[in-house]
Amino acid sequence: MAKKKLRVGILFGGKSGEHEISLRSARSILAAINRKKYDVVELGITREGRWLQSREALQLLGESAVSAGNDTGLSIAAAAAEPTVDTGIDVVFPVLHGTFGEDGTIQGLFELADIAYVGSGVLGSAAGMDKDAMKRMFVAAGLPLTPHVTLLRSQWKSDPKKVTRTIEKALQYPVFVKPANLGSSVGISKVKSRKDLAAAMDLAASFDRKIVVEQSVGGPGVKPRELEVAVLGNDEPEASIVGEIVPAKEFYDYEAKYELNGADESVSIIPAKLTAAESNKIRKMAIQAFRACDCAGLARVDFLMAPATKGKPAEIVLNEVNTLPGFTSISMYPKLWAASGLSYPKLIDRLIELALERHREKQQTQFSR
Ligand SMILES: Nc1ncnc2c1ncn2[C@@H]1O[C@H](COP(=O)(O)OP(=O)(O)O)[C@@H](O)[C@H]1O
Ligand SMILES: [Mg+2]
């Protein structure tokens, strides 16, 4: 008898602002995944948070039913509450970006349901999402960062003058003001002087209770280079070659990421033009950052590099880790692996293997004495 095919749930959509980006990533994965090897179950989450499967999930993707439509009874949530429930899924690939998908919340559900899943666990996901917690982990690992301060929305609302003093004491303009937990540059502003600070703080405060304010890398008038590394693995992660993004705008904001097309588009350069020493240093730091945040499976690690000026050498700092980076076949993460010799379908295979490996490894843990 033929070996039973592994049943893989591809989960996409979701309540985050990155719903649409998730659908793009999922369309690519569904088109490329090896169906000789896997039974694919499409699982969609609407913008309202309702779970859908097979035919209905495909409708969410705007596609007619391309698969036979495997039904699982959407039992992941049921399995979290009732151990005898069979989810009918061997492994889930949460192709979800941002809040409720990349931040540890859904990973918590998979843990409760005891189901294998692609990517980081609860802690790695939450750390990769929270720019304040992430920076603490980077600092503890001795990794270089741009100076920053973290403030609470409540502090900003109750005493904006004091918060302004705190920021100006620690940092020099221009600064970047960011909601601590979000993605795709939503809610982020570059602030060049005090007159624009309040609007930027209000905007960031509308998206999160924590606000991170950072010194601009390179200082006034400098557009830092944006370098990205794809990391793959569990306990022995590997780093791809280094890629570079040249944003089409003053910084890599939402529009520069997703909305500009053709000649106006942001450009990616693979491999980035760097010396061997710079590239080795960046790849090593990418693995350290992955480990510092307790990531698993995959993460894209992003750096900012201020070019060398007279009397000052180039400065490379860590910007962030993304635990579920954009995953269309032309997104940076898969492209970096393709350029490093691992094709897109093979990368999907590898991520599924790593998910199963991590799940098996976890079974060695005893949860009570
Ligand atoms: N400290 C900084 N100095 C210079 N540019 C920055 C800085 N922080 C962010 N940026 C710019 O803003 C973009 C988005 O910031 P980032 O922290 O990566 O947020 P997100 O998680 O939304 O991608 C970066 O890709 C870069 O273009
Ligand atoms: Mg980013």
Side-chain angles (χ1 to χ4, degrees):
M1 214 175 86
K3 200 166 135 246
K4 197 173 148 279
K5 282 203 259 182
L6 206 67
R7 287 193 120 201
V8 181
I10 307 291
L11 180 60
F12 50 81
K15 287 199 285 178
S16 87
E18 290 163 281
H19 180 97
E20 190 51 46
I21 316 302
S22 159
L23 300 187
R24 290 190 204 175
S25 297
R27 283 186 201 108
S28 261
I29 294 175
L30 289 170
I33 190 166
N34 184 349
R35 288 170 194 265
K36 289 204 188 87
K37 215 165 153 178
Y38 311 110
D39 267 335
V40 176
V41 181
E42 296 88 0
L43 300 169
I45 303 178
T46 66
R47 287 179 197 277
E48 295 73 40
R50 182 171 303 112
W51 288 52
L52 308 171
Q53 66 177 310
S54 30
R55 205 170 299 275
E56 278 185 322
L58 286 165
Q59 276 166 3
L60 188 67
L61 283 180
E63 289 185 11
S64 51
V66 290
S67 82
N70 292 303
D71 274 338
T72 67
L74 286 182
S75 48
I76 296 178
E82 173 48 61
T84 60
V85 168
D86 180 8
T87 61
I89 292 174
D90 298 307
V91 54
V92 191
F93 191 155
V95 192
L96 299 167
H97 310 305
T99 325
F100 308 121
E102 195 173 348
D103 61 357
T105 51
I106 209 152
Q107 287 74 14
L109 177 68
F110 301 147
E111 291 290 341
L112 290 172
D114 193 22
I115 187 166
Y117 57 96
V118 169
S120 293
V122 172
L123 176 63
S125 301
M129 190 73 189
D130 185 310
K131 295 186 196 306
D132 171 53
M134 175 162 45
K135 283 176 189 293
R136 291 171 198 263
M137 289 174 157
F138 290 161
V139 168
L143 291 161
L145 300 184
T146 192
H148 77 284
V149 284
T150 300
L151 299 145
L152 299 177
R153 171 163 59 203
S154 55
Q155 293 174 313
W156 169 246
K157 299 276 180 217
S158 65
D159 198 344
K161 283 214 178 89
K162 188 172 170 200
V163 166
T164 303
R165 277 198 303 276
T166 306
I167 293 169
E168 292 183 348
K169 210 172 149 203
L171 312 171
Q172 285 167 346
Y173 294 106
V175 295
F176 278 79
V177 178
K178 312 178 178 182
N181 288 272
L182 218 65
S184 289
S185 302
V186 176
I188 297 184
S189 315
K190 179 173 181 179
V191 175
K192 293 181 184 159
S193 66
R194 185 185 296 169
K195 76 172 174 34
D196 298 325
L197 184 64
M201 291 294 288
D202 287 341
L203 177 70
S206 71
F207 289 107
D208 199 358
R209 56 174 280 277
K210 273 199 293 191
I211 304 158
V212 172
V213 185
E214 289 178 25
Q215 179 108 16
S216 173
V217 175
V222 175
K223 215 170 150 178
R225 291 177 70 185
E226 312 224 8
L227 303 166
E228 305 190 341
V229 179
V231 179
L232 179 67
N234 287 335
D235 291 354
E236 297 298 332
E238 288 176 77
S240 72
I241 56 173
V242 185
E244 177 164 5
I245 300 274
V246 183
K249 294 188 61 193
E250 186 178 356
F251 72 96
Y252 202 28
D253 64 5
Y254 189 89
E255 199 188 359
K257 280 180 181 174
Y258 306 114
E259 288 178 343
L260 297 173
N261 291 311
D264 296 334
E265 214 162 36
S266 301
V267 180
S268 58
I269 302 168
I270 300 173
K273 287 184 188 64
L274 295 166
T275 65
E278 285 165 343
S279 150
N280 287 338
K281 182 175 158 194
I282 290 168
R283 295 175 67 202
K284 200 171 147 214
M285 284 200 286
I287 290 178
Q288 288 171 331
F290 185 94
R291 289 203 161 115
C293 294
D294 197 21
C295 294
L298 76 163
R300 198 190 70 222
V301 184
D302 298 351
F303 297 83
L304 293 168
M305 180 175 180
T309 52
K310 266 184 249 115
K312 240 177 108 186
E315 185 195 11
I316 301 165
V317 297
L318 252 170
N319 179 31
E320 59 164 345
V321 303
N322 288 285
T323 53
L324 281 164
F327 209 89
T328 68
S329 54
I330 57 160
S331 299
M332 190 55 121
Y333 186 92
K335 275 208 305 201
L336 285 171
W337 280 118
S340 305
L342 190 64
S343 72
Y344 188 65
K346 288 264 157 56
L347 173 63
I348 297 170
D349 287 349
R350 183 75 190 121
L351 288 170
I352 291 170
E353 272 167 30
L354 287 166
L356 294 169
E357 175 194 290
R358 189 158 186 275
H359 189 244
R360 273 194 307 272
E361 209 278 338
K362 204 148 194 178
Q363 320 243 274
Q364 296 173 28
T365 310
Q366 175 175 316
F367 293 101
S368 59
R369 35 178 223 144

